[in-house]
Amino acid sequence: MKVETHVDLSSSLSFHVPALATHYVQVDTDEDVRDALLYAQRNRLEILILGGGSNMLFHNDFQGLVIQINSKGIHVLIDDGRRLEVAVEAGEDWHEFVLKSLENGWGGLENLALIPGCVGATPMQNIGAYGVEIKDVFSWLEAIEVSTGLLKRFNLKECKLGYRESVFKRELKGEWVIVRVAYRLDRESTLKTSYGSIENEISDINKNELTHLDVANAVIKIRNQKLPNPNVLGNAGSFFKNPIVKEADFNSLKEGYPDMPHYILEGGLVKLAAGWLIETSGWKGHHRGTHGVHEHQALVLVNHGGATGQEIWSLAQDIMLSVKEKYSIQLEPEVNQISMSTT
Ligand SMILES: Cc1cc2nc3c(=O)[nH]c(=O)nc-3n(C[C@H](O)[C@H](O)[C@H](O)COP(=O)(O)OP(=O)(O)OC[C@H]3O[C@@H](n4cnc5c(N)ncnc54)[C@H](O)[C@@H]3O)c2cc1C
């Protein structure tokens, strides 16, 4: 384990904003994680866990120890010929693992293809796309406690996975380092094709011959058309969560905006489309020189080149204010805001 100082993180961040870490270390094993935590404790350093850097916005430099998870390994723990339990080290690239699972004929992850980032972050916000979330395939995860170095296994219930949520983003924020995640996969799992334009993409394939890989290829094609590639245009995917409101509030909004897209949830709640709220507040394609709102996806804020995290955050705040003024809805960022309290 080698701690480096004054490390430029920008190439590890999908937003490509400037950000230095006063201390930085890459960890490959559980023992490395414990050593890094001990180092931070002894030197009174704040810590920040970094995976693929695709769901973060640094507002400024990080005065502390950034621990980048680089552990590798995919282990089949159970295989009854149809169903499997597969444990994956936190530093594995998510999309690479999805492709590997499809190569092996393991179903369940196809709708989650091409989501950037590492395995360890997948339960953090219960990643989801095209009608599937991690909680649908989650078995357990193991994490190391920051304060004690102890390893604990968390089951599905303990992780409290919800819409872009988990216990690790709320009650246990900053307390655990996720070191591996186990998924339940199924060679014969039902294909989920009703979401978005997947059906259109697979219309040429005979329904009886449709495979998990066909669905993944459809998802990859749609995502490539719809979302900017962070290697070309800095971004962190959807910047805001889709807001969830009470049915009564939705009904009064609907009177003024009958076309408002919505999705009825259980418990008298309604999910609204943040992208629509932002677009109809006039922000789609908004340009502020170095940064702005994507021209085709109002939910995606972009760094055209040379923007700072603070500039992008300032734009995000302006958008939140304008949506609040127009619709009385408070948008919440989906992207993790990394802001040192000292500055
Ligand atoms: C173009 C694009 C498209 C996207 N599409 C989607 C999508 O469809 N659905 C979706 O849900 N998300 C999407 N995202 C967001 C992002 O890809 C996911 O949230 C991803 O899981 C983040 O992984 P990461 O390794 O990059 O996490 P990072 O950005 O490195 O970290 C995210 C958070 O998790 C914490 N963290 C990371 N690893 C660990 C660990 N091992 N232990 C403890 N804490 C940890 C970090 O401290 C941080 O708070 C998209 C992003 C981009 C850029």
Side-chain angles (χ1 to χ4, degrees):
M1 194 198 71
K2 184 169 161 274
V3 176
E4 296 170 58
T5 51
H6 303 288
V7 172
D8 180 0
L9 299 175
S10 56
S11 61
S12 300
L13 308 172
S14 67
F15 251 129
H16 306 303
V17 294
L20 283 183
T22 58
H23 299 75
Y24 168 90
V25 67
Q26 270 195 18
V27 292
D28 298 319
T29 64
D30 289 10
E31 265 330 288
D32 284 353
V33 172
R34 291 191 180 95
D35 287 348
L37 294 174
L38 213 57
Y39 179 94
Q41 249 172 27
R42 287 192 180 134
N43 292 284
R44 296 171 189 271
L45 295 171
E46 265 194 51
I47 61 154
L48 175 74
I49 309 302
L50 178 63
S54 66
N55 201 15
M56 292 180 164
L57 179 66
F58 279 72
H59 295 199
N60 36 37
D61 293 339
F62 187 78
Q63 315 279 331
L65 179 64
V66 169
I67 303 176
Q68 186 155 33
I69 311 287
N70 194 36
S71 51
K72 304 288 179 214
I74 298 173
H75 308 282
V76 177
L77 303 182
I78 300 172
D79 184 354
D80 71 3
R82 174 181 164 177
R83 296 189 175 86
L84 311 101
E85 183 177 74
V86 184
V88 189
E89 296 300 301
E92 285 282 353
D93 179 84
W94 172 252
H95 180 60
E96 294 293 320
F97 169 57
V98 172
L99 292 182
K100 200 162 276 182
S101 73
L102 292 165
E103 260 169 42
N104 290 326
W106 308 337
L109 306 179
E110 52 282 355
N111 296 45
L112 301 173
L114 213 62
I115 297 181
C118 296
V119 161
T122 59
M124 281 299 293
Q125 71 156 12
N126 180 29
I127 59 165
Y130 296 92
V132 175
E133 292 179 329
I134 277 301
K135 73 171 167 48
D136 303 327
V137 289
F138 181 89
S139 188
W140 50 261
L141 66 79
E142 284 179 348
I144 292 178
E145 192 171 26
V146 169
S147 58
T148 62
L150 291 176
L151 184 78
K152 176 182 155 140
R153 187 172 284 199
F154 289 77
N155 63 27
L156 177 62
K157 198 167 165 223
E158 289 170 307
C159 291
K160 299 190 186 170
L161 302 181
Y163 168 63
R164 302 297 185 267
E165 277 303 341
S166 73
V167 74
F168 304 103
K169 274 188 93 174
R170 296 274 174 199
E171 301 96 296
L172 300 182
K173 192 173 163 124
E175 293 181 26
W176 294 86
V177 182
I178 297 166
V179 289
R180 61 193 57 83
V181 185
Y183 305 95
R184 288 181 291 103
L185 304 179
D186 182 348
R187 292 183 175 84
E188 294 169 33
S189 67
T190 313
L191 302 176
K192 294 185 181 135
T193 58
S194 61
Y195 202 94
S197 46
I198 298 180
E199 288 287 358
N200 283 348
E201 291 298 334
I202 56 172
S203 57
D204 289 348
I205 305 172
N206 182 332
K207 280 250 174 333
N208 298 324
E209 289 169 9
L210 197 64
T211 64
H212 296 109
L213 184 58
D214 293 330
V215 175
N217 285 335
V219 168
I220 291 169
K221 192 169 168 202
I222 300 165
R223 289 182 69 99
N224 275 331
Q225 284 163 356
K226 281 179 68 175
L227 286 167
N229 177 347
N231 295 329
V232 179
L233 186 62
N235 76 90
S238 304
F239 197 90
F240 301 99
K241 289 182 185 179
N242 288 320
I244 295 174
V245 299
K246 292 192 186 119
E247 206 166 341
D249 294 336
F250 170 67
N251 287 336
S252 31
L253 273 168
K254 207 170 64 171
E255 283 175 20
Y257 306 99
D259 298 339
M260 182 177 272
H262 62 281
Y263 182 76
I264 308 282
L265 302 173
E266 285 170 7
L269 297 171
V270 181
K271 193 192 271 184
L272 305 178
W276 185 89
L277 297 170
I278 297 167
E279 186 175 340
T280 52
S281 298
W283 290 97
K284 191 167 161 183
H286 174 83
H287 218 286
R288 284 191 181 173
T290 55
H291 60 292
V293 179
H294 192 255
E295 53 182 338
H296 302 307
Q297 279 293 331
L299 205 45
V300 178
L301 305 192
V302 293
N303 179 3
H304 292 294
T308 65
Q310 274 187 2
E311 284 169 333
I312 292 170
W313 179 236
S314 166
L315 169 61
Q317 284 178 308
D318 290 347
I319 292 171
M320 287 191 278
L321 190 65
S322 117
V323 168
K324 174 95 181 165
E325 277 171 4
K326 187 171 167 80
Y327 295 107
S328 301
I329 291 173
Q330 183 62 56
L331 289 180
E332 202 187 318
E334 176 180 318
V335 174
N336 296 279
Q337 305 302 315
I338 313 297
S339 169
M340 295 301 291
S341 45
T342 48
T343 51

